[in-house]
Amino acid sequence: MPIATDVTRHLADLVAFPTVSAVSNLAILDHLEKVVAPFGARVRQFANAEGDKANLFVSVGPETPGGIVFSGHTDVVPTAGQAWSGDPWTLRQTGSRVVGRGATDMKGFLACCLTALPAIAARPLKRPVHLAFSYDEEVGCTGVGDMAEWVGTSGLQPRMAIIGEATSMDLVSAHKGGLIGWARVRGKPGHSSQPDRYVNAVMAAAELIAEINRIRADMRTGPQFEGLDPPYSTIQVNQIKGGLHGNIVAEACDFFWEMRVIPGEDDFAVLDRIRRYAADVLEPAMKAVDPACGISIEVQARIPGLKPETEGLTREVLGLLDRQAPRYVSYGTEAGIFQLAGTPSFVVGPGDIADAHQPDEGIEIAELERCVAFLDRLGESCCHD
């Protein structure tokens, strides 16, 4: 079947840009600017330090406080090693679905924004509508921060931001926050027949991991946030590498840790507990052998949790979606970053999150069209005082 609707045509154009997080997104931003230009859009870019990636902020309507932000990321996960049945960068239609990398996560939502824009821009808007396109979401939501902070301090004061991650068009009003990073343990190498003369980095790392496991157990009986699955915070170690040979005391060991913290809890308090254990319990004995030994704990990325907004604002969005109640999820999004920067935020987007990152990632065309209608209704609300 041919790809025939406006939203799928936009999606086909976006999928054709292989914007994996390791490469520049500037080409797709150029395309987006050309698409929005005929509608009197004002654009602003927020470049990274290297100048090879940027966020794009698009506005239509009057330059007044209030209004709404529709936000989504331009980057996608890689396709290498996945069993795709066709070119992942060419959108194709299979029955009622379209298939291509990013169809669900989350170029489908970007295509919905572009499709809704002409009708929104043609209305007598009394409040602006903004489109916020970010980079590097897939590597820890590390790109959107400066744009979200600018929005929060610019005087725009949007009424809300809608972050279009896949929710099957349900309203997600709360999610866990995340903190991820590496612990790097440096010991003193030597012959394994004399281990007490040296410092074994693998063994020290194992003791630190055991402390993380104790924190994990404490979290299970700690503060709860009903509606999340699980309803408590979690922490774990998912990668570890260390040592050179079986008969050499290991000089180095690195491991990757991640925590998912319920809204309202302090993720850095957990990190401080890990660092104190390393500094107070493990390092003194290590440094007694060699002062050069030690442990560093690095934060790679932080994703703030999302807390529920006011009941009135939540009811308004639920009404536009014809839903009875919001959902809570355990994964993180850029919504918490916008909220922390002062913009009330929700997560609503087309598609099933189970399709994200998968080979033959796809989305129902009807789901995209439902999202366009929702964005149009939100845009219409900006015509009223």
Side-chain angles (χ1 to χ4, degrees), residues 328-372:
Y328 304 154
V329 296
S330 292
Y331 57 81
T333 76
E334 293 174 336
I337 297 172
F338 276 96
Q339 185 183 67
L340 190 64
T343 302
S345 299
F346 301 97
V347 187
V348 181
D352 187 338
I353 194 65
D355 288 324
H357 303 185
Q358 300 301 308
D360 285 353
E361 176 184 348
I363 192 169
E364 293 286 333
I365 296 173
E367 185 87 344
L368 294 169
E369 292 172 341
R370 280 194 292 272
C371 183
V372 173

Side-chain angles (χ1 to χ4, degrees), residues 1-5 8 93 365:
M1 294 176 62
I3 295 172
T5 68
T8 52
Q93 188 167 338
I365 296 173

Side-chain angles (χ1 to χ4, degrees), residues 30-51:
D30 288 343
H31 170 76
L32 291 168
E33 288 198 30
K34 290 174 184 174
V35 172
V36 304
F39 308 106
R42 303 179 298 279
V43 299
R44 182 186 185 97
Q45 285 199 12
F46 301 82
N48 67 353
E50 296 75 20

Side-chain angles (χ1 to χ4, degrees), residues 221-245:
T221 57
Q224 309 276 303
F225 195 103
E226 294 305 322
L228 286 170
D229 182 17
Y232 45 82
S233 301
T234 60
I235 188 170
Q236 58 194 316
V237 172
N238 289 328
Q239 289 177 265
I240 189 167
K241 53 186 178 181
L244 292 176
H245 300 286

Side-chain angles (χ1 to χ4, degrees), residues 87-167:
D87 180 5
W89 311 112
T90 300
L91 193 73
R92 63 189 188 277
Q93 188 167 338
T94 305
S96 61
R97 291 168 62 83
V98 283
V99 175
R101 173 54 88 219
T104 295
D105 189 16
M106 61 181 297
K107 290 179 177 177
F109 179 76
L110 305 190
C112 293
C113 292
L114 298 179
T115 305
L117 182 63
I120 290 173
R123 288 196 174 102
L125 297 172
K126 295 186 177 181
R127 298 288 182 268
V129 172
H130 311 285
L131 310 180
F133 302 117
S134 66
Y135 67 92
D136 280 2
E137 189 274 348
E138 295 291 3
V139 291
C141 297
T142 57
V144 73
D146 57 347
M147 178 169 61
E149 290 170 8
W150 179 83
V151 171
T153 59
S154 65
L156 292 174
Q157 298 176 306
R159 290 183 61 239
M160 72 178 89
I162 300 294
I163 285 69
E165 293 284 359
T167 67

